[in-house]
C-alpha cells in the first residue's frame, strides 16, 4: 500500500516538473490560439438568426384513418417528423424563393434551383419538447432578411398545409357526393318497389299517413275473417241448440210436450196467453176431483171440456212451434254453410295476402335502411363541407 502511494506521488512530481519546464511554451500556444480565434471571429462576416414559431395541429382524420387507437402516439410522432420534411422540402423552398423573389435579390444566384439550394443551407427546424410548437430558424447576413425569411417559411408552410388539407377534403367530398348520388338512386328504387308491391297487393299502410307513427299495413281481409269466425262460432251454437230443442220436443208427448214447447218461448202471443189458462183449468179440475165430485158432475164435465179444448189448441200451437224450430234450424245450417264457405275463401286469400305482406314489409324495411344510410352519408357530406371552410 505504501509502495503504490509513493509511486503515484513520484509520477505527480514528474508531471509538475514537466509543466513547469514547458510553461512558457504552453502559455505562448494558448495566447496564439486565443488571439487567432478573436481575429478570425472579428474578421468573419456577421450572421443574424431569424426565428418563427408555428403550432402544428394534427387533424383527427390523420390519426383515425387506417390506424387504431394503439398506434396513436406512433402516428403523431411520424406526423411531426413529416412536417419537418415538408418545411425543408424543395416545394416549400420554391414557394419562399418565388414569394421573396430571391433570384432577383441575390445577384450571385442565377437560377431558381440554386436559390433553393442556398436557402436550404440557411434553414434549421426544431421542436419544443412536449408541445405542438416547432421553431423555424433562418440565418442571414441581414437581420431584416433573416426575419423576413423565417416569416416567409412559416407562411409558405401554412399555405401548403392548407392547400393539402383542402385538396384532401375536396377529394373526399367528391367521393362522398358520388356515393350520396348513388344512394339516392337506391332509395328511389326501393321506394318504387315498395309502392309497386303495395299497389299489387292492395295493401293499406297506415304509417304512410300517420305522421311517421309506425303501424302495420292492413287490409279488410283479417277483419272479415275475424267476423266470419265469430259468426261461425255463434251459428254453430245456435244450430246445436235448435237441433237439441227439436230432438227433445219430438221425443215428448202430451202435456210434457206442451210444457217443453212453451218453455222455448217461440210460440205466438195467443198461444202463450192460453197456456196459463190451461194450467189454471187443470189445477181447478184436480181440486174439484179432490173434493169428491164424480166424472158426471156438471162442474167436472165443464172443466174437462174446457181443458180438452185448450189442450187441442195448445197441441196445434206445438206443431207450429215444431215447424218454426225446424225452419230456424234449416236457416241456421244454411247460414253456417255459407259463412264457412266464405271463411274458407277468405282464408286462402289471407294466405296470399300474407305472402304479399312479407314481400311488402321486406321492401319497406329495405327502404328504411337505405334512407337511414342516406341520412348518415348526407350528414358526413355536410360535415366535410364545413371542414372545407375551416383553417
Amino acid at each position: 500500500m505504501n509502495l503504490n502511494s509513493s509511486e503515484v506521488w513520484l509520477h505527480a512530481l514528474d508531471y509538475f516538473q514537466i509543466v513547469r519546464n514547458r510553461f512558457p511554451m504552453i502559455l505562448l500556444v494558448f495566447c496564439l490560439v486565443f488571439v487567432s480565434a478573436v481575429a478570425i471571429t472579428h474578421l468573419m462576416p456577421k450572421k443574424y438568426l431569424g426565428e418563427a414559431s408555428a403550432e402544428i395541429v394534427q387533424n383527427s382524420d390523420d390519426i383515425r384513418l387506417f390506424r387504431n387507437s394503439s398506434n396513436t402516439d406512433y402516428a403523431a410522432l411520424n406526423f411531426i417528423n413529416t412536417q419537418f420534411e415538408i418545411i425543408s422540402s424543395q416545394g416549400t423552398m420554391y414557394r419562399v424563393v418565388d414569394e421573396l423573389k430571391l433570384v432577383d435579390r441575390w445577384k450571385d444566384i442565377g437560377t431558381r434551383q440554386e436559390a433553393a439550394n442556398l436557402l436550404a443551407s440557411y434553414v434549421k427546424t426544431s421542436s419544443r419538447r412536449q408541445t405542438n410548437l416547432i421553431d423555424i430558424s433562418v440565418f442571414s447576413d441581414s437581420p431584416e432578411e433573416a426575419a423576413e425569411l423565417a416569416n416567409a417559411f412559416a407562411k409558405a408552410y401554412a399555405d401548403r398545409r392548407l392547400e393539402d388539407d383542402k385538396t384532401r377534403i375536396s377529394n373526399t367530398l367528391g367521393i362522398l357526393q358520388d356515393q350520396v348520388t348513388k344512394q339516392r338512386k337506391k332509395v328511389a328504387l326501393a321506394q318504387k318497389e315498395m309502392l309497386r308491391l303495395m299497389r299489387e297487393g292492395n295493401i293499406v299502410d297506415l304509417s304512410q299517413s300517420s305522421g311517421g307513427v309506425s303501424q302495420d299495413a292492413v287490409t279488410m281481409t283479417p277483419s272479415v275473417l275475424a267476423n266470419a269466425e265469430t259468426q261461425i262460432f255463434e251459428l254453430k251454437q245456435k244450430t246445436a241448440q235448435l237441433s237439441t230443442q227439436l230432438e227433445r220436443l219430438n221425443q215428448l208427448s202430451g202435456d210434457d210436450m206442451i210444457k217443453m214447447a212453451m218453455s222455448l218461448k217461440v210460440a205466438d202471443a195467443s198461444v202463450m196467453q192460453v197456456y196459463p189458462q190451461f194450467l189454471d183449468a187443470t189445477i181447478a179440475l184436480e181440486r174439484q176431483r179432490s173434493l169428491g165430485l164424480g166424472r158426471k158432475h156438471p162442474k167436472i164435465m165443464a172443466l174437462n171440456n174446457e181443458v180438452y179444448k185448450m189442450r187441442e189448441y195448445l197441441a196445434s200451437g206445438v206443431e207450429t212451434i215444431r215447424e218454426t224450430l225446424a225452419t230456424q234450424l234449416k236457416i241456421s245450417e244454411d247460414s253456417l254453410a255459407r259463412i264457412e264457405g266464405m271463411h274458407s275463401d277468405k282464408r286462402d286469400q289471407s294466405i296470399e295476402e300474407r305472402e304479399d305482406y312479407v314481400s311488402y314489409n321486406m321492401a319497406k324495411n329495405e327502404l328504411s335502411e337505405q334512407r337511414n344510410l342516406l341520412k348518415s352519408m348526407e350528414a358526413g357530406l355536410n360535415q366535410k363541407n364545413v371542414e372545407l371552410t375551416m383553417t
Side-chain angles (χ1 to χ4, degrees), residues 2 14 38 42 51 59 90 112 173 231 261 274 297 358 362 364:
N2 294 331
D14 291 340
V38 172
H42 182 72
E51 286 189 342
N59 292 334
Q90 288 290 330
R112 184 167 176 252
L173 283 177
Q231 292 179 5
V274 171
H297 193 277
V358 172
M362 291 178 62
K364 183 178 178 182

Side-chain angles (χ1 to χ4, degrees), residues 45-62:
K46 294 183 179 180
K47 292 290 185 180
Y48 296 92
L49 175 64
E51 286 189 342
S53 298
E55 181 181 4
I56 307 300
V57 179
Q58 184 174 7
N59 292 334
S60 59
D61 291 344
D62 296 331

Side-chain angles (χ1 to χ4, degrees), residues 122-163:
Y122 292 167
V123 179
K124 292 183 179 179
T125 56
S126 61
S127 63
R128 302 185 187 179
R129 291 176 59 85
Q130 299 181 350
T131 67
N132 292 330
L133 297 177
I134 63 173
D135 294 325
I136 303 173
S137 303
V138 183
F139 295 91
S140 178
D141 297 336
S142 170
E144 292 80 7
E145 186 179 61
E148 186 179 14
L149 289 174
N151 291 328
F153 264 102
K155 183 177 183 300
Y157 167 72
D159 293 341
R160 183 174 178 180
R161 176 74 186 280
L162 289 176
E163 290 176 4

